[in-house]
Amino acid sequence: MPFEITEQLIEQITGLILNQDDEALLKLLENEHHADIAEVLEDLNLEEATYIIKLLDSDLTSEILMEMDEDDREKILQNLSEKEIAKELDELDTDDAADMIAELPEDRQQKVISNIEDKEHKADIQELLKYDENSAGGLMAKELVKVYDNWNVLKCVREMRAQAEFVTRVHSIYVVNENNQLEGRLSLKDLLTTSTKTPISEVYIPKVDYVNVHDSAEDVARVMQKYDLEAIPVVDDNMHLLGRITIDDIVDVIKEEADKDYQMAAGISQDIEADDTLWQHSRARLPWLFLGLFGGVGAAAIMGGFEEMINKHAVLFFFTPLIGAMAGNVGVQASAIIVQSIANSDLKGSIANRLFKEFSLAMVNGLALSIILFSFTWFWKKEILTSLAISISLFVVIIVAGIIGTFIPLFLHKQKIDPAIATGPFITTSNDIFGILIYFSIAKMLLGI
Amino acid sequence: MPFEITEQLIEQITGLILNQDDEALLKLLENEHHADIAEVLEDLNLEEATYIIKLLDSDLTSEILMEMDEDDREKILQNLSEKEIAKELDELDTDDAADMIAELPEDRQQKVISNIEDKEHKADIQELLKYDENSAGGLMAKELVKVYDNWNVLKCVREMRAQAEFVTRVHSIYVVNENNQLEGRLSLKDLLTTSTKTPISEVYIPKVDYVNVHDSAEDVARVMQKYDLEAIPVVDDNMHLLGRITIDDIVDVIKEEADKDYQMAAGISQDIEADDTLWQHSRARLPWLFLGLFGGVGAAAIMGGFEEMINKHAVLFFFTPLIGAMAGNVGVQASAIIVQSIANSDLKGSIANRLFKEFSLAMVNGLALSIILFSFTWFWKKEILTSLAISISLFVVIIVAGIIGTFIPLFLHKQKIDPAIATGPFITTSNDIFGILIYFSIAKMLLGI
């Protein structure tokens, strides 16, 4: 792509803002894509960004604002009047407009809404604000092209010309009956290849995928991905056509879900980005570190209970980080596979099957690793019993860690709790404690005191 | 969605296959969506699945096969003749057809290609096979709707009717000059709302996003996501229009990328699914476990070097799992944020800036955690110097771990190596070793022997 943000470009823009050279700024920016301008704005300071938003046309700035980071957008909106915000909303599709309003402080929301000029647009946005943001209703837009089943192709094309003016992208044409109940769909391709006198009732496809307005965003994403859909109609419990969801919004849902699971696995509990503030990062990371600290203290307390072994078998204590780390790694591997399979809904078989498979795998991996560890410890200390105790413990710990890592996310999923929280520090910490406890118990059994 | 796979349905289908009741099978399945039938097939054994593929029409089975897991598809294709496979390929879009051929063993590829009946389709597929599967060329399909800039809207609509027959979904209409060089695009919406006599040169949009055929799949995904595109044309170095990529393929790329990064962070080095074999799982997981073992042995060796401290300060040894775990957790948190920001290409500022920010964050988090740990150890052992040594070490280890976790992925990215390999076990292991070394060095400094 030809567009690239350079330091030079940013300097040029800040210079033009400083000189209030509006004409040159307009010339420079008005033909660029809103996504590119949004990137430029994120490199400017708040005053400069606001300056440009106030300067450019609202059909462009509304799209720019929607493209920006939520935090940055929020700050700019604070600098705009309710009337100015309403003007941006007039240009946006209903779904984006509702999203933008929902981010405003409550006292501003009503003032902004009352400033929206287009009455139908206003009513549509108010309807969308009623739905949960993680539901189909929260994702859908009211803009769509629909035709009635008693029209013919010619009337259809004529009416669609009018409707299409207000719809950014035409994907499918939905066919409804006189009660606005979804009956089927019509592809643009069919319209292109059918004679104009054909009644719609003869050409429409009655089999149409749809989602209920209360379905979760994840379910919508799953259906659209599975059936490779680019848009899906949204209906209420009585099949009344309410809106439609397009694939670009679903791409965002998929990306956010994946990012969230990834962060969770890395022990980051809130949705943060590299550029967020120190405090946001600290808040997102500290809880899991506390958990880790708690686990480490637990492990220390357990070791304190076996303190009498330290004189004769000091070497045992040298291998506790190894035991802890291996228990953690095996647990994370096992849980990640389960969490990912659940997220992609391609998990088959019973819990017992899963556990048996993980058990077999842990046997194989555990055996390989234990043999290596035995060779090393024997070579180092030449104490066969200690070496045996350490390597047998590792073997058992790997099996237990694998089973815990498999069982916990499956259990949470059954309890309708997001299994992703069971990955990362949670598994690492619990496996640390279990691992150390098993390790010293086995060692004590084999070695006496 | 109404379709659901029940045990009852699977039993009914296996029963019908056993009785070779083709009529009933056809009635049951032929109106279902190919994605649903693909799911059913994955619950059957290989013979049963092959039976159904041979029974149903190839326009349906080709889509079913594309929807299935690569492993399952491969097995079924082994049971089909070259002629049967060629028949499936005739029904597929060129991009899917090329993907399917690429999965076949080399000696079958040529035989299958020579059995494809449609000559143009065959040539298109052979062209696509030349491109790297992770490039724009490997993702694109040859099917698209294009018009010449010297036509008018009427001629355009007529020609498009013919072309559209062969294109599953019409997204954009691409406008080319007489040399097949991309000039711009035409939206279906514009065609619907423009008079039929208008010359194309007057209505087309000259600003069109495109990618080069050699661009990487990740770059294509980034562009399409950024500009919210549902299809993008692919050109060669001289702007000749070669094909187009649609968003559904990009959704798969995004999903795969995210899954890969997630698995990498969890210490799983190959793309595996829960249902893969034991050996595939073992191969994917063992390398990282070896790394962990190696790290643990390293930590043990370091502790062996400080063995003389064990008599007077046994308690130090109780906290090594804590130090190792915290170093690992902090490192993973830091590296995950960097890796994710790089993947989403929203990382700004210099490496020095990043490191300073992580340093400040580690100071804040480290201070909070060290104070808590100090209170605990003091309360437990009432030895102020030991407690100080342990908590100061934790503080330093957290800072070093944060800096390592930030630096390594940034460094790898600069060296054009996928930074995702630096997450998970890699960071955990190196931080384990560094952490233990720092811990005992500080303790020795403060406590003497």
Side-chain angles (χ1 to χ4, degrees):
Chain A
M1 291 291 99
F3 186 87
E4 213 185 327
I5 297 181
T6 58
E7 267 182 51
Q8 210 187 342
L9 177 72
I10 299 294
E11 267 173 40
Q12 188 188 358
I13 290 170
T14 51
L16 292 174
I17 294 172
L18 203 66
N19 298 327
Q20 308 204 356
D21 190 346
D22 295 354
E23 212 177 316
L25 273 172
L26 280 171
K27 214 179 136 193
L28 188 66
L29 294 175
E30 71 187 348
N31 290 318
E32 295 306 332
H33 192 283
H34 58 258
D36 293 321
I37 304 181
E39 278 192 2
V40 169
L41 260 52
E42 288 180 352
D43 278 351
L44 300 177
N45 69 33
L46 180 59
E47 281 69 40
E48 292 162 348
T50 312
Y51 187 91
I52 286 180
I53 291 290
K54 292 201 181 197
L55 177 67
L56 297 176
D57 221 44
S58 60
D59 63 337
L60 184 57
T61 55
S62 57
E63 299 288 345
I64 296 172
L65 284 168
M66 283 316 295
E67 201 65 37
M68 295 179 77
D69 242 29
E70 207 181 309
D71 299 347
D72 295 319
R73 176 169 57 242
E74 212 181 294
K75 281 180 212 143
I76 292 182
L77 290 181
Q78 281 171 8
N79 282 353
L80 300 183
S81 71
E82 278 89 26
K83 214 182 167 94
E84 284 170 320
I85 298 176
K87 230 173 129 188
E88 305 285 351
L89 296 176
D90 264 323
E91 299 290 341
L92 286 173
D93 279 354
T94 46
D95 55 341
D96 290 336
D99 288 348
M100 197 189 275
I101 291 180
E103 290 168 13
L104 294 172
E106 277 199 31
D107 56 310
R108 290 195 89 186
Q109 293 190 1
Q110 279 315 312
K111 284 186 211 153
V112 168
I113 291 172
S114 65
N115 271 298
I116 298 174
E117 278 176 19
D118 182 334
K119 275 190 185 155
E120 211 183 318
H121 197 54
K122 188 198 286 191
D124 283 345
I125 294 171
Q126 282 177 309
E127 183 198 329
L128 292 183
L129 283 170
K130 292 186 308 193
Y131 301 110
D132 183 280
E133 64 166 328
N134 289 316
S135 72
L139 286 174
M140 75 180 180
K142 298 295 292 179
E143 288 83 359
L144 52 80
V145 178
K146 72 177 174 191
V147 298
Y148 289 88
D149 58 359
N150 55 5
W151 291 357
N152 66 17
V153 169
L154 184 66
K155 167 137 179 132
C156 204
V157 171
R158 259 196 226 129
E159 291 283 334
M160 277 172 53
R161 286 192 183 188
Q163 294 183 31
E165 296 272 9
F166 303 102
V167 180
T168 317
R169 279 179 217 157
V170 179
H171 287 89
S172 263
I173 302 138
Y174 301 118
V175 181
V176 293
N177 64 18
E178 69 269 32
N179 295 323
N180 192 35
Q181 287 170 308
L182 184 67
E183 298 268 294
R185 68 187 167 88
L186 206 60
S187 74
L188 275 169
K189 194 175 121 184
D190 294 330
L191 270 199
L192 279 173
T193 51
T194 312
S195 125
T196 51
K197 280 169 199 153
T198 321
I200 293 300
S201 54
E202 279 180 24
V203 286
Y204 84 80
I205 307 154
K207 206 173 161 67
V208 55
D209 295 303
Y210 57 87
V211 289
N212 186 285
V213 68
H214 298 299
D215 285 348
S216 74
E218 289 82 34
D219 284 341
V220 178
R222 213 164 292 138
V223 170
M224 290 187 74
Q225 247 187 300
K226 177 173 172 190
Y227 297 112
D228 274 349
L229 304 175
E230 292 174 350
I232 196 164
V234 181
V235 299
D236 66 12
D237 296 339
N238 299 313
M239 285 298 285
H240 294 113
L241 179 62
L242 298 181
R244 64 147 191 188
I245 297 170
T246 49
I247 186 73
D248 53 319
D249 294 320
I250 292 304
V251 170
D252 295 340
V253 170
I254 293 172
K255 200 87 187 60
E256 276 168 30
E257 276 292 298
D259 281 359
K260 206 192 65 191
D261 281 359
Y262 183 76
Q263 295 200 341
M264 206 87 98
I268 301 165
S269 57
Q270 279 165 39
D271 183 28
I272 53 166
E273 284 159 33
D275 289 312
D276 286 341
T277 68
L278 201 64
W279 303 112
Q280 284 170 319
H281 273 266
S282 185
R283 259 212 317 273
R285 300 194 199 177
L286 256 186
W288 294 110
L289 295 180
F290 278 131
L291 186 65
L293 191 75
F294 173 79
V297 165
I302 290 172
M303 287 161 80
F306 291 93
E307 195 169 359
E308 72 274 15
M309 297 180 78
I310 212 164
N311 294 321
K312 269 175 78 182
H313 306 291
V315 68
L316 281 184
F317 288 78
F318 301 166
F319 285 94
T320 50
L322 184 145
I323 296 290
M326 295 304 280
N329 286 347
V330 169
V332 168
Q333 287 183 336
S335 67
I337 286 287
I338 299 292
V339 167
Q340 199 166 57
S341 297
I342 290 173
N344 296 343
S345 55
D346 55 9
L347 196 70
K348 284 163 210 141
S350 66
I351 289 193
N353 274 340
R354 280 291 133 215
L355 290 176
F356 179 73
K357 183 165 180 182
E358 191 62 37
F359 174 76
S360 319
L361 178 63
M363 293 272 284
V364 172
N365 287 351
L367 199 65
L369 295 162
S370 302
I371 290 173
I372 294 172
L373 185 62
F374 176 82
S375 321
F376 173 80
T377 45
W378 185 81
F379 185 80
W380 188 24
K381 293 284 174 187
K382 300 278 189 300
E383 293 169 23
I384 193 119
L385 219 54
T386 326
S387 304
L388 258 183
I390 293 172
S391 49
I392 289 175
S393 300
L394 178 68
F395 182 68
V396 177
V397 164
I398 286 176
I399 289 173
V400 174
I403 288 175
I404 292 177
T406 305
F407 180 75
I408 291 184
L410 285 171
F411 175 78
L412 290 178
H413 182 58
K414 278 245 160 182
Q415 303 296 315
K416 314 259 177 227
I417 300 170
D418 182 359
I421 63 162
T423 53
F426 187 85
I427 284 288
T428 318
T429 303
S430 54
N431 280 0
D432 247 30
I433 298 182
F434 277 113
I436 302 284
L437 186 59
I438 292 169
Y439 175 62
F440 279 101
S441 306
I442 290 179
K444 194 169 181 177
M445 251 177 351
L446 285 174
L447 304 173
I449 287 187
Chain B
M1 292 291 99
F3 185 87
E4 214 185 326
I5 296 181
T6 58
E7 267 183 51
Q8 210 186 344
L9 177 71
I10 298 294
E11 267 173 40
Q12 188 188 357
I13 290 171
T14 51
L16 292 173
I17 293 173
L18 204 66
N19 299 326
Q20 308 205 356
D21 190 346
D22 294 354
E23 212 177 316
L25 273 171
L26 280 171
K27 213 177 137 194
L28 187 67
L29 294 175
E30 71 186 348
N31 290 318
E32 294 306 331
H33 193 284
H34 58 258
D36 292 323
I37 304 180
E39 277 191 3
V40 169
L41 259 53
E42 288 180 353
D43 279 351
L44 299 178
N45 68 33
L46 179 59
E47 281 69 40
E48 292 162 348
T50 312
Y51 188 91
I52 286 181
I53 291 290
K54 293 201 181 197
L55 176 68
L56 296 177
D57 221 43
S58 60
D59 63 337
L60 183 57
T61 55
S62 57
E63 300 289 344
I64 296 172
L65 284 169
M66 282 316 293
E67 201 66 37
M68 295 180 79
D69 243 28
E70 207 181 306
D71 299 346
D72 295 321
R73 176 170 55 242
E74 213 181 293
K75 280 181 212 141
I76 292 182
L77 290 181
Q78 281 172 6
N79 282 353
L80 299 185
S81 70
E82 279 89 26
K83 213 180 167 100
E84 283 169 322
I85 298 176
K87 229 173 132 189
E88 305 285 351
L89 296 176
D90 264 323
E91 299 290 340
L92 287 173
D93 279 353
T94 46
D95 56 341
D96 290 336
D99 288 348
M100 198 188 275
I101 291 180
E103 290 168 14
L104 294 173
E106 277 198 32
D107 56 309
R108 290 195 89 187
Q109 292 191 2
Q110 280 315 313
K111 284 186 211 154
V112 168
I113 291 173
S114 66
N115 271 298
I116 297 174
E117 277 176 20
D118 183 333
K119 274 190 186 155
E120 210 183 320
H121 197 56
K122 188 198 285 192
D124 283 345
I125 294 171
Q126 281 176 310
E127 183 198 330
L128 293 183
L129 282 170
K130 292 185 308 192
Y131 302 111
D132 183 280
E133 65 167 326
N134 289 316
S135 71
L139 285 173
M140 75 181 181
K142 299 295 291 179
E143 288 83 359
L144 52 78
V145 178
K146 73 177 174 192
V147 299
Y148 289 87
D149 57 358
N150 54 5
W151 292 357
N152 66 15
V153 170
L154 184 66
K155 168 139 179 133
C156 205
V157 171
R158 258 196 227 129
E159 291 283 334
M160 278 172 51
R161 286 193 184 190
Q163 293 182 32
E165 295 273 9
F166 303 102
V167 180
T168 317
R169 278 178 217 159
V170 179
H171 287 90
S172 262
I173 302 139
Y174 301 118
V175 181
V176 293
N177 64 18
E178 69 270 31
N179 296 322
N180 192 34
Q181 286 171 309
L182 183 67
E183 297 269 295
R185 68 187 167 87
L186 207 59
S187 74
L188 275 169
K189 193 175 123 185
D190 295 329
L191 270 199
L192 279 174
T193 52
T194 311
S195 123
T196 51
K197 280 169 200 152
T198 321
I200 294 300
S201 55
E202 278 179 26
V203 286
Y204 84 79
I205 308 155
K207 207 173 161 66
V208 54
D209 295 301
Y210 57 87
V211 288
N212 184 285
V213 68
H214 299 298
D215 285 349
S216 74
E218 290 82 35
D219 284 340
V220 178
R222 213 164 291 139
V223 170
M224 291 187 76
Q225 249 188 299
K226 176 173 172 191
Y227 297 112
D228 274 350
L229 305 175
E230 292 174 349
I232 196 164
V234 181
V235 299
D236 65 14
D237 295 340
N238 299 314
M239 286 298 285
H240 294 111
L241 180 60
L242 297 181
R244 64 147 191 188
I245 297 170
T246 50
I247 187 73
D248 54 317
D249 293 320
I250 292 304
V251 169
D252 296 340
V253 170
I254 293 172
K255 200 85 188 62
E256 276 168 30
E257 274 293 295
D259 281 359
K260 205 193 67 192
D261 282 359
Y262 183 76
Q263 294 200 341
M264 206 87 97
I268 301 165
S269 57
Q270 280 166 39
D271 184 28
I272 53 167
E273 283 160 33
D275 288 312
D276 286 340
T277 68
L278 200 65
W279 303 112
Q280 285 169 318
H281 273 267
S282 184
R283 260 211 316 274
R285 300 194 199 178
L286 256 186
W288 295 110
L289 295 179
F290 277 131
L291 186 66
L293 191 75
F294 173 79
V297 165
I302 292 172
M303 287 161 79
F306 290 93
E307 194 168 359
E308 72 275 14
M309 298 179 77
I310 213 164
N311 294 322
K312 270 174 79 182
H313 306 291
V315 67
L316 281 184
F317 288 78
F318 301 166
F319 285 93
T320 49
L322 183 145
I323 296 290
M326 294 304 278
N329 286 347
V330 169
V332 168
Q333 286 182 337
S335 67
I337 286 288
I338 300 291
V339 168
Q340 199 166 58
S341 296
I342 290 173
N344 296 343
S345 55
D346 55 9
L347 195 71
K348 285 162 210 142
S350 66
I351 290 194
N353 274 338
R354 280 289 134 218
L355 290 175
F356 179 73
K357 185 165 178 181
E358 191 63 36
F359 175 77
S360 319
L361 178 63
M363 293 272 285
V364 172
N365 288 352
L367 200 65
L369 295 162
S370 302
I371 291 173
I372 295 173
L373 185 61
F374 176 82
S375 321
F376 173 80
T377 45
W378 186 80
F379 185 80
W380 188 24
K381 294 285 173 185
K382 300 278 190 300
E383 293 168 23
I384 193 118
L385 220 52
T386 328
S387 304
L388 259 183
I390 293 172
S391 48
I392 289 176
S393 300
L394 178 68
F395 182 70
V396 177
V397 163
I398 286 175
I399 289 173
V400 174
I403 288 175
I404 292 178
T406 305
F407 180 76
I408 290 183
L410 285 172
F411 175 78
L412 291 179
H413 182 58
K414 278 244 161 182
Q415 303 295 316
K416 315 259 176 227
I417 301 171
D418 182 359
I421 64 160
T423 52
F426 187 85
I427 285 288
T428 317
T429 302
S430 54
N431 280 0
D432 246 32
I433 298 183
F434 277 113
I436 302 284
L437 185 60
I438 292 169
Y439 174 62
F440 279 100
S441 306
I442 291 179
K444 195 170 183 178
M445 252 179 349
L446 285 175
L447 304 173
I449 287 188

